[in-house]
Each structure stands twice: as C-alpha cells, then as structure tokens.
Amino acid sequence: MSKIKSVYAREILDSRGNPTIETTVWSDNAHGAVASIPSGASTGRLEAYEMRDSDPNRFGGLGVLKACANVNQIISKYIVGQDPLKQNDIDQILLNTDGSANKSKLGANAILSVSQACFELGAACAEIPTFEYAAQKYGFPPASPTHLPSPIFNLINGGKHGAGNLDFQEFHVIPSSRKTFSASLEMGSELYHLLKKVLIEKKATSSVGDEGGYAPNLVSNTDAIELLVETIEASPYKLNEDLYLGLDIAASTFFQGGKYKISDVKDPMTGIQMGDFLIDLNRKYSLLSIEDPFDQEAWTDWENLFANIGKQLMIVGDDLLVTNKARLEEAIKRSACNAVLIKPNQIGTISETVAVIKLAKKNNFSVIISHRSGDTDEDFLADFAVGVGADFVKFGAPGRGERVAKYNRLLFIQEYLESLHPTS
Ligand code: PGA
Ligand code: ZN
C-alpha cells in the first residue's frame, strides 16, 4: 500500500488573472499529482463556499492565502499517511475536518484541491490513466473511442462573461453525438474562425470573453443566435443535422424584482412570459439545450417549461442544482429539468460529485461536465468526464489555453483508446 507523504498548497493565477489554489501531493512511492481549482463569475447561490482572503491590500481582496494555509496547516495533518487509493476515506476526512454544511470553515476551494489532487495521485499509484481510474473506481463502463462526451462549444459570450450588451451568457454550437470527438473539435474550430469573419463583416467587435467565445456588440440575444445560424450556413455543415444550437441563459444573473428584462423584448417579462419567449426560440431554432432558463428559485417556471418542451430538448440545471444531491433530488421530484451541469467546485469533493452523477444517470438525466469561467490549464475534467461516461463536456470556445487544454486531452484520450481498439 502506498501512503500520502506530503500535501502542499500555493497561490497561482487563473485565466482571469485572479488568484486560485493549486495543491501538490506526493506519495511515499514517488508518485506526485497537482490540482488547481477554477472559479465562477455567475455562481449559484447555494454553491459550496469559495474562501477568499478579503484583504484589500492583496489582489483586490481575492487572495487565497487563507485557503492555502488551511491545506498546509490543518488538512495536511489528517491526509498525510492516508492511502491515495481510498478516495471515499479521504473525502470523508475532508468533510469531517471542515464540519460545516457548505465547507465554509476550510473553503471548498481548499478542500477540492486536496480531494482532486489525491484522486489523481490514486490514478498515478494505480499506474493507469485518470479516466480509466475513475471508471474502475466508481463502476462506470470502460470508455470507447467512438463514444466520448460531445463538446458544447461556447462561441459567443454574453452576460457576466461578455461585453455587457447580451443578456444571455452563452451561445453554443453542439456537434452531433454521431461525430467522433476529433471531428467535433475540427468543426468547432472551423466555425469559431468563420464566426470571427462574420462578426468583422458586420463591424461587431471580435474581442473574446471569459470563456474564449466572442463578445460582440449586438443589439439583441436573437441577433447572436442569428449570427451563429449565418455562420453555419456559410460552412459545409448543416444545422440540426451535423450540429445543433444551445443556450446558457444564466437567468439568475438578470432576474430583478421578480422579472426578466432582456434586450429582445421592450418590457420586463414574468416567468410565464419568459417561458413563452424560450418556447418560441425553440420552435424557431430546434435547440438542443437550454441551461438555467429561469432564476435558481423559480421552481414553478422550471416545471412549466419542462412540462411544455422537456421532451424536445435538454433543460439543464446549473445554478438551480449546484452539483448538489439534495437539489437534484428536488428537481427529480418536481420534474423541473432533465440534464445536470456538473462542476466539482460547486460541491467541493470528488466523491460527492460522483454521487450526483450517479443519481442523475439513474434518473435518465443527461450529464454535462463543465469548466468555470475562471479556469486554469488543468485537464483533469477531460479524464473525469470520460471516466464517468458523461454525455457532454462544456469547456468553452475552442480557443484560449485553459479551454483547449481540456479539449486537447480529449483528443489524446480518443487516440489512446483507438490504439487499444484498432478498427483495421
Ligand atoms: P461560471 O459560468 O463559471 O461563471 O459560473 C459557467 C456557467 O454558468 O455555466
Ligand atoms: Zn451555466
């Protein structure tokens, strides 16, 4: 049996240039692993607690030295000596050491950095790739090179990630799951560059937002969707055959005074009116998915939309579900949605994240593994998504280092699996 020999956390920068935590673990048989933790901008109200220093003299209060100290001075005492292959024990120690309901004592960023680093150390000690380790450990079927998760490319960034004029946060193109991952990535990259040309022709700016998609100057959200349609029409690909459109409305970010104000419609809308607007959009564009169509507490509006169009597309809970088992149970009971966005840092340990994925799969929810808008060059999520047999990955645009690190890892995994299962 190998034992964890050391645990050490330090402060690094994420893709937005804000501090985040990176933890390194070593085993006594000379294996090592590193995990860095992303950070959201449009965070759900019930996410686990992300610990920041709130010291105005450093990084505008966003430093994570307290979280690092919690790892180095408190958590490490309990984790050193543990068996890296026993993830459930490690996560239970982390939960017990924190003891709070939302990981506010030690910080979910501190806790997840250790949980994830230990998980990767487990894979290293088992001497198998992390995706295989995840599948074996949690009893998911082995991955196949032709059935990897489909990428959801975020080509236009609005809301809190964009330039301020689009209300909806993300405008997606989603290659058909019949395509291989490499063909999907090629399609995403080609459309990304074609869209830039279309935006330049329209004299809309082509700077990028937090997730690598363009953050153009447009009048309405519908305009952004139309530009994606125009781009696809100028490409060799066919909409609703080779690829589909999707949206992350992130509606909690613009829900004010019980209403939704968007640039497409003159007056602020009630939940029912917002639902009708989205039903219309779906009729027009045959969307594959709509994420967070309503505020995170507007359960009745979610239920109504799901009853209306839930059989036609994925209705995805992100801020609604916050990778939390109790919230997912509530959504299942209420028939509020049929897909879950999985962000490990919303809950704070690998074991709890896997429990949510298992519950989702048992209830025929689609599973989407997601990055955060502030991310790092980590590629762990690519392995994790393959290991747990996720249906989709949402890693942003096919551009910017922290996004392509994850997509490139999926390319590697596809090739690795193909080499194990040659077709000719
Ligand atoms: P966030 O956005 O990382 O800023 O929360 C991602 C999303 O809403 O899906
Ligand atoms: Zn979202």
Side-chain angles (χ1 to χ4, degrees):
M1 178 188 117
S2 43
K3 279 188 176 172
I4 295 171
K5 195 174 82 181
S6 70
V7 180
Y8 183 74
R10 51 197 282 269
E11 189 180 66
I12 60 166
L13 292 186
D14 72 12
S15 58
R16 272 194 279 259
N18 290 328
T20 192
I21 186 167
E22 177 191 86
T23 290
T24 303
V25 289
W26 286 99
S27 65
D28 58 0
N29 55 350
H31 287 293
V34 186
S36 55
I37 301 306
S39 176
S42 66
T43 46
R45 194 173 58 79
L46 294 175
E47 290 191 22
Y49 180 74
E50 179 186 74
M51 187 170 278
R52 299 272 177 193
D53 296 341
S54 304
D55 171 359
N57 298 317
R58 293 188 74 251
F59 295 108
L62 294 179
V64 293
L65 293 181
K66 280 187 198 163
C68 291
N70 287 345
V71 171
N72 297 336
Q73 290 162 23
I74 302 171
I75 293 175
S76 65
K77 278 199 291 218
Y78 299 95
I79 295 299
V80 168
Q82 295 297 319
D83 179 351
L85 296 170
K86 298 212 164 133
Q87 188 69 31
N88 284 348
D89 292 356
I90 289 168
D91 287 341
Q92 199 53 53
I93 291 170
L94 292 168
L95 292 179
N96 294 345
T97 310
D98 180 85
S100 70
N102 65 346
K103 305 188 175 66
S104 55
K105 193 165 155 239
L106 299 171
N109 42 349
I111 291 171
L112 181 63
S113 74
V114 177
S115 177
Q116 188 174 312
C118 289
F119 189 80
E120 299 214 62
L121 184 64
C125 289
E127 297 183 350
I128 51 175
T130 304
F131 71 87
E132 252 176 58
Y133 181 68
Q136 285 181 15
K137 175 163 273 310
Y138 295 112
F140 293 105
S144 133
T146 50
H147 289 87
L148 294 176
S150 296
I152 296 178
F153 295 116
N154 179 8
L155 295 194
I156 299 183
N157 293 186
K160 289 198 166 178
H161 304 160
N165 62 324
L166 294 173
D167 312 288
F168 298 172
Q169 182 176 281
E170 302 173 15
F171 299 79
H172 303 142
V173 298
I174 311 168
S176 158
S177 55
R178 290 185 301 277
K179 312 265 174 200
T180 60
F181 177 76
S182 51
S184 301
L185 188 60
E186 190 177 320
M187 193 186 294
S189 165
E190 287 170 9
L191 290 168
Y192 184 53
H193 291 102
L194 209 51
L195 173 61
K196 183 171 182 174
K197 281 196 192 135
V198 170
L199 289 170
I200 289 170
E201 270 166 31
K202 305 255 182 241
K203 298 200 167 25
T205 63
S206 63
S207 65
V208 296
D210 285 1
E211 296 189 352
Y214 302 110
N217 253 327
L218 300 171
V219 177
S220 72
N221 301 288
T222 314
D223 285 351
I225 302 174
E226 279 296 323
L227 283 183
L228 287 183
V229 172
E230 200 179 317
T231 303
I232 294 163
E233 281 169 355
S235 81
Y237 305 115
K238 278 211 160 43
L239 181 60
N240 297 331
E241 230 177 272
D242 297 309
L243 77 166
Y244 302 87
L245 297 177
L247 297 169
D248 182 0
I249 309 290
S252 298
T253 61
F254 58 87
F255 183 64
Q256 263 193 349
K259 297 223 164 154
Y260 302 92
K261 172 82 191 89
I262 63 170
S263 53
D264 309 61
V265 178
K266 198 166 137 273
D267 296 319
M269 292 185 285
T270 62
I272 291 174
Q273 290 167 325
M274 179 71 174
D276 288 342
F277 180 83
L278 295 172
I279 289 167
D280 256 10
L281 274 188
N282 182 50
R283 199 174 291 130
K284 210 162 155 204
Y285 299 105
S286 303
L287 301 171
L288 184 70
S289 73
I290 302 182
E291 183 177 327
D292 283 345
F294 303 104
D295 180 65
Q296 56 208 320
E297 297 304 339
W299 285 102
T300 316
D301 293 320
W302 282 80
E303 290 164 22
N304 290 338
L305 186 71
F306 186 72
N308 234 305
I309 56 171
K311 286 204 164 60
Q312 299 167 29
L313 80 172
M314 290 196 291
I315 298 185
V316 186
D318 170 14
D319 293 344
L320 180 80
L321 303 179
V322 289
T323 317
N324 180 306
K325 207 166 163 218
R327 293 286 288 189
L328 179 57
E329 274 161 359
E330 180 78 15
I332 292 164
K333 201 173 80 199
R334 287 173 175 263
S335 294
C337 54
N338 56 5
V340 58
L341 204 76
I342 297 287
K343 295 166 166 170
N345 81 321
Q346 284 181 325
I347 187 69
T349 62
I350 296 299
S351 303
E352 288 169 289
T353 306
V354 171
V356 174
I357 293 168
K358 288 205 159 179
L359 179 65
K361 283 180 170 247
K362 202 169 138 210
N363 288 278
N364 295 318
F365 270 51
S366 296
V367 171
I368 305 167
I369 305 293
S370 171
H371 67 163
R372 300 304 305 244
S373 52
D375 216 294
T376 71
D377 58 359
E378 261 294 342
D379 58 11
F380 167 77
L381 282 184
D383 281 77
F384 187 65
V386 174
V388 302
D391 303 286
F392 296 91
V393 290
K394 194 174 84 148
F395 293 159
R400 289 183 56 142
E402 74 282 4
R403 314 297 153 188
V404 298
K406 297 162 185 61
Y407 290 131
N408 286 340
R409 175 67 185 168
L410 285 170
L411 269 187
F412 172 87
I413 293 172
Q414 181 184 324
E415 283 174 30
Y416 176 90
L417 289 170
E418 281 165 351
S419 75
L420 295 182
H421 310 276
T423 47
S424 55

